[in-house]
Amino acid sequence: TGAECVPVPSAWVAARTWSREHGGGGGVAVALAAKGPTAFVTEFGAGELPIATGPGRLMTGGEMRELPGRGVGVLLCDRFVIPIVGSPGDIPGLSVCEIGFDGLACVEMAELAAPVDPVELVPRYPREPEAVTKWRELKARKGG
């Protein structure tokens, strides 16, 4: 049919939702997929239409607490990230706020993403799936 899909990363939508609700502003980071001592963090520059400053990466709580030194004033996250980074208000220069997603923000950010053939659309995971990790651990314990 010639249809194309436009993959829009969740972090992009969260950053745009924040900027729509708060009128743009300074740098924002979005923390997703918390597990153990890390979360997957994407940083965005200041502005009404936030642009990722690079690909997201796994960060420890200590690394997230250093975000203000890189121009990030807001960390958007869910309740699973709080134990990793620390309580809101504990980090000078960093507001830790609840993440939100808005449908209009998704549409707006889709304009920045390149369309792909639907067959090529695959999810991106920041880390190996838990089932694969457990299988590897079990295999290693059994000697191979």
Side-chain angles (χ1 to χ4, degrees):
T1 66
E4 293 180 311
C5 288
V6 180
V8 182
S10 300
W12 291 19
V13 178
R16 178 60 181 146
T17 299
W18 174 265
S19 74
R20 289 183 82 241
E21 292 174 356
H22 297 90
V28 173
V30 177
L32 300 165
K35 181 178 174 187
T38 62
F40 190 74
V41 180
T42 306
E43 296 176 53
F44 295 84
E48 185 178 335
L49 192 62
I51 305 295
T53 58
R57 66 183 180 94
L58 289 175
M59 285 188 184
T60 64
E63 291 171 311
M64 286 184 260
R65 286 188 290 277
E66 295 173 359
L67 287 169
R70 293 204 307 270
V72 172
V74 176
L75 176 64
L76 304 175
C77 62
D78 61 22
R79 63 186 172 93
F80 300 105
V81 175
I82 300 298
I84 298 170
V85 72
S87 298
D90 285 352
I91 307 155
L94 186 67
S95 296
V96 180
C97 302
E98 185 176 344
I99 196 168
F101 300 94
D102 176 74
L104 182 55
C106 183
V107 171
E108 291 170 341
M109 295 308 282
E111 294 179 17
L112 301 176
V116 298
D117 185 297
V119 175
E120 296 173 12
L121 186 63
V122 294
R124 293 185 187 157
Y125 297 106
R127 59 178 54 100
E128 184 175 73
E130 184 68 16
V132 174
T133 302
K134 289 185 179 230
W135 178 80
R136 288 183 197 281
E137 290 171 359
L138 179 64
K139 187 176 176 184
R141 281 193 301 249
K142 290 185 177 181

